Amino acid sequence: MTTIIGNLVQVIRGNGLYMFAFDTHMADGGMLMLPVTMEKYHTLFTAGEPPLNDQYEVTFEQLNGVTHVQSMFNLAAEVVPAELVPTLTMTQDFDTMGEKFMDAQKQEAALKERLDSIRQNSTLMADLDAALQAEQAKRAANIKERQAGKGIETLFTGEEIANFNQPEAVPVPGFDLSNMAEDSKPTMTGLEGED
């Protein structure tokens, strides 16, 4: 691989190739012509055409008499190398991470392994069983209370009714809740004269 630094003087397009003319300021005339395919051109310059007369660092290699440009970097560009920005180095694999997370069988196996580890922890399982029994006992008590009640008590427990009967609602700035019951009553205006 060869790396040179030179000014981009001209870009010639034709027949699916781009020819880049660089002035390398060498003693032998200093002009270097490098061919780039259309696909490689759009990979090298995703933001559009490269500015002329700027200084570039170009890396290329020759294989079997054919020149292959590996990279062209505008030295005047305002960029920060990825090595200096930890978040950029962390995001470099985002395009392949989706494939890893979309593997449902692998995720299912990981979930099964996690559940098995929870089930093997006796302290954690005892805590879960205690919480489950407390919840079941509270539900059973609520069901018995509703079955024993008459009227509204069949729909709500004593605790829920006590919440309804609190003396004052928490005031909300900008809202007047004092006449809410009156406003929520259905009215018959606009229905007169309709069949």
Side-chain angles (χ1 to χ4, degrees):
M1 285 224 209
T2 307
T3 301
I4 58 122
I5 294 178
N7 291 354
L8 179 60
V9 178
Q10 188 176 14
V11 179
I12 304 166
R13 298 170 189 87
N15 295 333
L17 281 178
Y18 288 80
M19 295 297 290
F20 288 86
F22 286 95
D23 182 4
T24 60
H25 306 290
M26 299 269 183
D28 59 350
M31 291 301 287
L32 177 67
M33 296 292 286
L34 293 173
V36 175
T37 63
M38 185 179 298
E39 293 81 12
K40 187 69 173 178
Y41 174 83
H42 292 296
T43 302
L44 292 171
F45 303 105
T46 55
E49 293 187 12
L52 297 178
N53 298 322
D54 279 357
Q55 199 169 36
Y56 286 82
E57 180 180 280
V58 182
T59 303
F60 62 94
E61 64 181 343
Q62 291 200 349
L63 297 173
N64 300 328
V66 178
T67 303
H68 298 277
V69 175
Q70 301 300 317
S71 67
M72 279 190 203
F73 179 72
N74 186 345
L75 297 177
E78 295 179 13
V79 295
V80 177
E83 298 83 31
L84 300 179
V85 184
T87 54
L88 289 179
T89 58
M90 289 186 327
T91 60
Q92 66 188 359
D93 294 328
F94 272 7
D95 57 342
T96 59
M97 291 175 79
E99 296 171 7
K100 180 175 84 171
F101 291 124
M102 293 299 287
D103 187 356
Q105 292 174 343
K106 186 176 181 181
Q107 294 302 318
E108 185 178 334
L111 177 61
K112 186 177 182 304
E113 181 182 329
R114 184 171 179 205
L115 289 174
D116 288 344
S117 69
I118 290 172
R119 289 183 182 121
Q120 291 172 1
N121 186 337
S122 60
T123 308
L124 192 56
M125 286 306 292
D127 290 344
L128 288 173
D129 285 339
L132 182 62
Q133 288 174 2
E135 185 178 338
Q136 287 174 343
K138 184 174 180 179
R139 285 186 182 180
N142 286 345
I143 289 171
K144 286 181 183 178
E145 186 177 341
R146 286 183 177 145
Q147 288 174 341
K150 291 185 170 46
I152 197 169
E153 288 85 11
T154 60
L155 299 174
F156 302 103
T157 65
E159 181 183 337
E160 292 168 337
I161 292 172
N163 288 338
F164 293 146
N165 294 327
Q166 288 182 350
E168 289 293 323
V170 177
V172 178
F175 292 95
D176 182 16
L177 301 177
S178 61
N179 60 354
M180 181 181 240
E182 196 66 35
D183 290 345
S184 62
K185 291 181 181 176
T187 59
M188 298 300 287
T189 57
L191 298 177
E192 296 172 352
E194 293 182 11
D195 291 348

